[in-house]
Amino acid sequence: MEMKRRLLFFHLFFLLVKLQTSSSTSCSSSCSFDSEPAYQQQEKDRVLELPGLSVNVSFEHYSGFVTVNEESGRNLFYWFLEAVEDPSSKPLVIWLEGGPGCSSVGSEAERIGPFSINPDGKTLYLNPYSWNQGFSYSSNPSEYLTNGDKRTADDSLVFLLKWFERFPQYKGRDFYITGESYAGHYIPQLAQAIVRYQSSTGQKPINLKGYMVGNALTDDFNDQLGRSEFLWATGLISDQTYKLRNTFCSHASFVHSPENCSKISDVITLELGNIDIYSIYTPTCTSNVSDSDIPPKRRYVGNINEEYDPCTLQYSGIYFNLPEVQKALHVNPAKWEFCRPAIYTSWKDSATSVLDIYQELIASGLRIWMFSGDTDGVIPVTSTRYDIDALRLPLASPWRAWYDDGQVGGWTEQYVGLNFVAIRGAGHRVPATKPKLALVLFKSFLSGNPMPSLLP
Amino acid sequence: MEMKRRLLFFHLFFLLVKLQTSSSTSCSSSCSFDSEPAYQQQEKDRVLELPGLSVNVSFEHYSGFVTVNEESGRNLFYWFLEAVEDPSSKPLVIWLEGGPGCSSVGSEAERIGPFSINPDGKTLYLNPYSWNQGFSYSSNPSEYLTNGDKRTADDSLVFLLKWFERFPQYKGRDFYITGESYAGHYIPQLAQAIVRYQSSTGQKPINLKGYMVGNALTDDFNDQLGRSEFLWATGLISDQTYKLRNTFCSHASFVHSPENCSKISDVITLELGNIDIYSIYTPTCTSNVSDSDIPPKRRYVGNINEEYDPCTLQYSGIYFNLPEVQKALHVNPAKWEFCRPAIYTSWKDSATSVLDIYQELIASGLRIWMFSGDTDGVIPVTSTRYDIDALRLPLASPWRAWYDDGQVGGWTEQYVGLNFVAIRGAGHRVPATKPKLALVLFKSFLSGNPMPSLLP
């Protein structure tokens, strides 16, 4: 019963780890064999038990690989969690992590998924703010180094089409794409690929209704401008460095930074000191988290029921590398990392801007939300504000605060075709830093309602 | 012994409530009678016991009035707390609250003084982050409405000269002036008055060594510019309102705002919603604090040992209005308020800028520090940065992070003649919102050492 209450608001949801590849010969039992009937493939992907979980959960979940390119042997991993209540009617939501080169599995344990990891790195507890929600390896590492925006969108589309073949009962279900950071590129690009593909084929297995991006890389110029301004206005860098960054980084790519801008970034790193630039007011993880049974000192921030532990990624680094966990998730033994720097540094094409895609998709009538954790110093709220301003959309409902539990949760402004939501005191990874507020956001987005007002 | 440890770092310190007046006929036993020997006056001011304090403290404290103008009957209240360790050698520090029209008594209970008030408004606990550190009433309320910068500086100088006559053992002791907000006017103006008075008389009863101001109103133009930018960059107001504020408020006085700027302020109030603009990421006080024994729900922010309770001013509102507390502090029955709006609205002369005083006092060799709680939306860190930039001082030591307990406590940049310190995550009232970091700042200032670095 307690389980029921806690899981009441779960929605159907799934994740995939982007960018990660695997030659088909390395797949474990869950590789896609298109000749098998769908239900047999589903059944192979069902997760029967998760190591370290001491309670029974009342929803089914599945994980495995979908081959998106037979020739190159590229397989994408997914983890799919059904909604607890009425899974036959709940919409489908996918969460994409950014990077480029980061794993959406990390997000599962970062307060989006139902399973959170204890400091021992071995046991789990249930996340009361779960949205109801990757892992990857490659036996063909060179594939890592030839990725880019275009191939990611193409592979993701193939993944979705094949996934719906494996789970045909979800064809036609309302479908939403969500994610953060560099997924600000993936998400509109994937949405565009879906819309264009289905328009050209006349078939509509994917009932795409909308997307939502957070602290999303959107337009290099606006995002650089906003970042410089935020770093200065919040008192993180010197006047001199602010001026130099404006001079040398204003026209720089976020992913492929020219040398003179990179030099400024080195100065910024020195000036910032040892802070978490992804969440400028929270402590950094100072624990030496190791594979031991002794829980490290935890440093919490925020209200008691909205705790943020800056060491959670370290716990994930232990848990998702446990052989029994990898086996339970149908993955052959592999080294899991939240982000792979080699993927980032070797990223091929990176769009200068995806604002043109916004214009196209707004016109198509999709529900589009942009949110921003307002204490992120990487793609700050100022960047998103400049992005939206550049779209020149008519205002639908003016700037106002939104509320949760009697306190201001952030601010919102509705435009014709786009809704902006700031989350007060949240960092780059909004669900990780403000899980309760993130759930309010997610529920509002799915319902299509404005963010809550203060009750009179 | 426990007391000793907790009080080890206390320094000699005192407070006065500015702006508050009292006709001499209304003084209780502690009024200044210049004909009495000094020790008799001291003895009358000694606080024998403080209601609600259940432990003995090992330092002496004194409170009472000093008449600064016999004719108008203006008396200034002070509360003076000796240092626990070696009071005969410790420097003297005064803390001034801003407003105009706010009481420094409120600051005592806001984590500067040793006595913090429990939610019942009746009992006290010892503040581990005390710096070892007013109350007022007037039987002549019209005096409230004729105050301004000039009279405040004059009255404060008279107060200090008379106070040193009452406590002659402190003549010549190293003396520092500290405070926040509108005290950004009082403090350099008082320092200038002291320097000029002693230079003209050739006497030096007040051994002024320096001053330190926090989130200090300094220069209307720079402070307005910085405020608009901060409100926009932290995502608190709309693009439209940002543009309007820049248009109508850039050349406005902070205290005497012209009507078109006031109208923008009304729009800003609506857009902000119910946040504490003095501390933009902390909750507001939602408790109905009343004079009852039931402790209200407390909302804490920050680490366990650095708790911030947004309702502390309400507790002070109960405690300092208890008749037994007023009696113990040698005050005739009076209604105490943290701030009096009538004083603010009727404030006479308010300097457009005190930057010229900075130039004069920097040249005189005083130790001058400007600090800023970097999550204040009233006189934000951006305002102080523009103020300092306008001084065009040579750089002495470049921008860097400073540390407390292994975490970044903020940032600092040293100029020739002035030291800037930002306090990470602190609001307008730095000691109230980040008491542990405020104490690190205070100790560094008094010692004249740079803010602590991360140990290698």
Side-chain angles (χ1 to χ4, degrees):
Chain A
M1 192 58 206
E2 174 62 12
M3 274 307 302
K4 272 248 162 171
R5 196 188 59 72
R6 292 168 68 96
L7 298 170
L8 191 67
F9 39 74
F10 282 16
H11 285 85
L12 201 52
F13 185 89
F14 68 90
L15 292 170
L16 64 84
V17 174
K18 303 304 308 304
L19 317 178
Q20 309 282 39
T21 63
S22 148
S23 82
S24 56
T25 54
S26 296
C27 280
S28 72
S29 61
S30 67
C31 272
S32 151
F33 300 104
D34 295 342
S35 55
E36 287 184 303
Y39 75 91
Q40 281 185 18
Q41 294 179 41
Q42 278 185 37
E43 206 46 43
K44 282 182 179 167
D45 286 0
R46 187 192 300 273
V47 180
L48 299 172
E49 59 175 346
L50 207 52
L53 186 66
S54 58
V55 294
N56 289 322
V57 292
S58 56
F59 55 89
E60 300 293 333
H61 55 125
Y62 304 83
S63 70
F65 288 85
V66 172
T67 302
V68 296
N69 188 300
E70 299 270 358
E71 198 176 340
S72 309
R74 292 203 302 276
N75 303 294
L76 292 181
F77 178 82
Y78 78 92
W79 192 354
F80 169 57
L81 302 107
E82 286 193 331
V84 169
E85 302 259 317
D86 197 13
S88 63
S89 73
K90 289 286 163 66
L92 272 173
V93 178
I94 189 169
W95 176 268
L96 302 179
E97 196 49 67
C102 295
S103 160
S104 303
V105 159
S107 305
E108 195 289 325
E110 290 279 290
R111 303 297 217 124
I112 293 175
F115 309 121
S116 293
I117 303 167
N118 281 312
D120 62 9
K122 292 177 176 172
T123 56
L124 301 175
Y125 65 96
L126 291 175
N127 166 25
Y129 307 116
S130 169
W131 297 10
N132 226 28
Q133 18 298 22
F135 212 101
S136 214
Y137 68 102
S138 176
S139 63
N140 188 1
S142 66
E143 283 292 318
Y144 285 160
L145 310 177
T146 58
N147 218 334
D149 281 13
K150 172 90 177 69
R151 203 178 76 186
T152 299
D154 293 346
D155 282 1
S156 298
L157 175 61
V158 172
F159 166 84
L160 285 174
L161 294 169
K162 286 197 166 187
W163 188 90
F164 278 104
E165 291 305 319
R166 196 180 296 183
F167 290 83
Q169 67 269 38
Y170 287 102
K171 280 186 186 173
R173 191 72 60 87
D174 286 359
F175 179 66
Y176 298 92
I177 314 175
T178 61
E180 68 193 9
S181 191
Y182 196 82
H185 278 204
Y186 307 152
I187 291 169
Q189 289 164 342
L190 173 59
Q192 183 188 50
I194 294 169
V195 167
R196 288 184 173 184
Y197 172 81
Q198 298 194 145
S199 170
S200 69
T201 61
Q203 295 181 311
K204 205 182 169 188
I206 308 171
N207 188 12
L208 179 65
K209 289 290 188 181
Y211 69 82
M212 179 169 73
V213 295
N215 297 80
L217 188 69
T218 301
D219 177 279
D220 280 344
F221 177 76
N222 287 312
D223 294 343
Q224 295 284 18
L225 184 69
R227 188 173 189 209
S228 296
E229 189 158 340
F230 187 84
L231 292 174
W232 184 81
T234 54
L236 303 180
I237 60 171
S238 68
D239 295 3
Q240 169 77 354
T241 301
Y242 173 55
K243 287 170 194 155
L244 289 171
R245 192 176 196 283
N246 271 334
T247 304
F248 293 114
C249 298
S250 285
H251 295 275
S253 159
F254 252 75
V255 173
H256 302 114
S257 185
E259 194 182 342
N260 50 13
C261 174
S262 292
K263 281 182 184 164
I264 305 301
S265 298
D266 295 343
V267 174
I268 289 175
T269 301
L270 279 176
E271 291 192 345
L272 292 174
N274 184 29
I275 65 161
D276 179 1
I277 191 62
Y278 293 92
S279 178
I280 62 175
Y281 299 115
T282 55
T284 55
C285 178
T286 53
S287 303
N288 278 322
V289 179
S290 62
D291 191 349
S292 84
D293 286 321
I294 301 151
K297 186 182 168 197
R298 295 172 83 164
R299 302 190 68 116
Y300 288 119
V301 172
N303 297 325
I304 290 152
N305 57 354
E306 207 179 340
E307 292 164 341
Y308 169 63
D309 179 342
C311 300
T312 52
L313 287 179
Q314 275 86 333
Y315 312 151
S316 297
I318 301 171
Y319 186 78
F320 290 116
N321 282 307
L322 295 175
E324 60 271 30
V325 172
Q326 300 194 348
K327 190 177 176 198
L329 292 174
H330 312 126
V331 179
N332 279 344
K335 171 72 181 162
W336 180 83
E337 293 171 295
F338 183 53
C339 294
R340 293 239 168 131
I343 296 177
Y344 185 98
T345 52
S346 63
W347 197 253
K348 301 297 171 198
D349 58 304
S350 175
T352 303
S353 176
V354 293
L355 287 174
D356 55 326
I357 304 180
Y358 274 75
Q359 297 285 16
E360 178 182 332
L361 296 176
I362 287 168
S364 79
L366 290 182
R367 180 183 303 162
I368 301 176
W369 286 33
M370 296 184 86
F371 68 93
S372 175
D374 66 7
T375 58
D376 170 29
V378 175
I379 305 175
V381 64
T382 39
S383 297
T384 302
R385 300 191 72 169
Y386 281 126
D387 291 332
I388 293 174
D389 184 58
L391 286 168
R392 302 280 165 209
L393 300 170
L395 191 65
S397 181
W399 186 278
R400 67 169 174 85
W402 62 269
Y403 290 83
D404 176 58
D405 201 17
Q407 297 284 345
V408 170
W411 292 266
T412 183
E413 193 170 31
Q414 289 178 273
Y415 297 87
V416 175
L418 188 146
N419 195 20
F420 168 74
V421 180
I423 295 90
R424 183 161 79 122
H428 192 72
R429 296 174 296 131
V430 170
T433 48
K434 289 286 178 187
K436 187 162 182 280
L437 298 180
L439 183 61
V440 172
L441 167 72
F442 179 65
K443 289 162 92 171
S444 292
F445 169 69
L446 276 193
S447 69
N449 292 322
M451 296 298 288
S453 300
L454 188 61
L455 294 178
Chain B
M1 192 58 206
E2 175 63 12
M3 272 309 301
K4 273 249 162 168
R5 196 188 60 74
R6 292 166 68 98
L7 297 171
L8 192 66
F9 39 74
F10 282 15
H11 285 84
L12 202 52
F13 184 89
F14 67 89
L15 292 170
L16 65 85
V17 174
K18 303 304 308 303
L19 317 178
Q20 309 280 41
T21 63
S22 149
S23 85
S24 56
T25 54
S26 295
C27 281
S28 74
S29 61
S30 67
C31 271
S32 151
F33 301 104
D34 295 342
S35 55
E36 286 184 303
Y39 75 91
Q40 281 184 17
Q41 294 179 40
Q42 279 185 38
E43 207 47 44
K44 282 183 179 168
D45 286 0
R46 187 193 299 274
V47 180
L48 299 172
E49 60 175 344
L50 209 50
L53 185 66
S54 59
V55 294
N56 290 322
V57 292
S58 55
F59 54 89
E60 299 293 333
H61 54 126
Y62 303 83
S63 70
F65 289 85
V66 172
T67 303
V68 295
N69 188 302
E70 299 270 358
E71 198 175 340
S72 311
R74 292 202 303 276
N75 302 293
L76 293 180
F77 178 81
Y78 78 93
W79 192 355
F80 168 57
L81 302 107
E82 286 193 331
V84 169
E85 303 259 317
D86 197 13
S88 63
S89 73
K90 290 286 162 68
L92 272 174
V93 178
I94 190 168
W95 176 268
L96 302 180
E97 196 48 67
C102 295
S103 160
S104 303
V105 158
S107 304
E108 194 289 324
E110 290 280 290
R111 304 298 217 121
I112 292 175
F115 309 120
S116 294
I117 303 167
N118 282 313
D120 62 9
K122 291 179 176 170
T123 56
L124 302 175
Y125 64 97
L126 291 175
N127 166 25
Y129 307 116
S130 169
W131 296 11
N132 228 31
Q133 7 328 74
F135 211 101
S136 214
Y137 68 102
S138 176
S139 63
N140 188 2
S142 66
E143 283 293 318
Y144 284 160
L145 310 178
T146 57
N147 218 334
D149 281 14
K150 171 90 177 68
R151 203 178 75 187
T152 299
D154 293 346
D155 282 2
S156 299
L157 175 61
V158 172
F159 166 83
L160 286 174
L161 293 170
K162 286 199 167 186
W163 189 89
F164 279 103
E165 291 305 319
R166 195 179 299 182
F167 290 83
Q169 67 269 39
Y170 287 102
K171 279 187 188 173
R173 190 72 60 88
D174 287 359
F175 180 66
Y176 297 93
I177 313 175
T178 61
E180 67 193 9
S181 191
Y182 196 81
H185 277 204
Y186 307 152
I187 291 169
Q189 288 165 343
L190 173 59
Q192 183 188 49
I194 294 169
V195 168
R196 289 185 173 183
Y197 172 81
Q198 298 195 145
S199 169
S200 69
T201 61
Q203 293 181 311
K204 206 182 169 188
I206 307 171
N207 188 12
L208 179 65
K209 290 290 189 180
Y211 69 82
M212 178 168 74
V213 295
N215 297 81
L217 188 69
T218 301
D219 178 278
D220 280 343
F221 178 77
N222 288 312
D223 293 344
Q224 294 283 17
L225 185 68
R227 187 171 190 211
S228 296
E229 189 158 341
F230 187 84
L231 292 174
W232 184 82
T234 53
L236 302 181
I237 60 171
S238 68
D239 295 3
Q240 169 77 355
T241 300
Y242 173 54
K243 288 170 194 155
L244 288 171
R245 191 176 197 285
N246 272 333
T247 303
F248 292 115
C249 299
S250 286
H251 295 275
S253 158
F254 254 74
V255 173
H256 302 115
S257 185
E259 193 182 342
N260 49 13
C261 174
S262 292
K263 281 182 185 166
I264 306 301
S265 298
D266 294 342
V267 174
I268 289 175
T269 301
L270 279 176
E271 292 191 345
L272 292 173
N274 183 29
I275 65 162
D276 179 359
I277 190 62
Y278 293 92
S279 177
I280 63 175
Y281 299 116
T282 55
T284 55
C285 178
T286 54
S287 303
N288 278 323
V289 179
S290 64
D291 191 350
S292 85
D293 287 320
I294 302 150
K297 185 183 168 197
R298 296 171 82 164
R299 302 190 67 114
Y300 288 119
V301 171
N303 298 324
I304 290 153
N305 56 356
E306 208 179 338
E307 292 165 342
Y308 170 62
D309 179 342
C311 300
T312 52
L313 287 179
Q314 274 86 333
Y315 312 152
S316 297
I318 300 171
Y319 186 78
F320 290 116
N321 281 307
L322 295 175
E324 60 271 31
V325 172
Q326 300 195 348
K327 189 177 176 198
L329 292 173
H330 311 126
V331 180
N332 278 346
K335 171 73 181 161
W336 180 83
E337 292 171 296
F338 183 53
C339 294
R340 293 238 168 132
I343 296 177
Y344 185 97
T345 52
S346 63
W347 197 252
K348 301 297 171 199
D349 57 306
S350 174
T352 304
S353 175
V354 293
L355 287 174
D356 56 326
I357 304 179
Y358 274 75
Q359 298 285 16
E360 176 181 333
L361 295 177
I362 288 169
S364 80
L366 289 183
R367 180 183 302 161
I368 301 176
W369 286 33
M370 295 184 87
F371 67 93
S372 175
D374 66 6
T375 58
D376 171 28
V378 176
I379 305 174
V381 65
T382 40
S383 297
T384 301
R385 300 190 72 169
Y386 280 126
D387 291 332
I388 293 174
D389 183 57
L391 286 168
R392 301 282 165 208
L393 300 170
L395 191 64
S397 181
W399 186 278
R400 67 169 174 86
W402 62 269
Y403 291 82
D404 175 59
D405 200 16
Q407 298 283 346
V408 170
W411 291 266
T412 184
E413 193 170 30
Q414 289 178 273
Y415 297 86
V416 175
L418 189 146
N419 196 20
F420 168 74
V421 181
I423 296 91
R424 184 162 78 124
H428 191 72
R429 296 174 297 131
V430 170
T433 49
K434 289 286 178 187
K436 188 162 181 281
L437 298 180
L439 182 61
V440 173
L441 166 72
F442 179 66
K443 289 162 92 170
S444 292
F445 169 68
L446 275 195
S447 69
N449 292 322
M451 295 298 288
S453 301
L454 188 61
L455 295 177

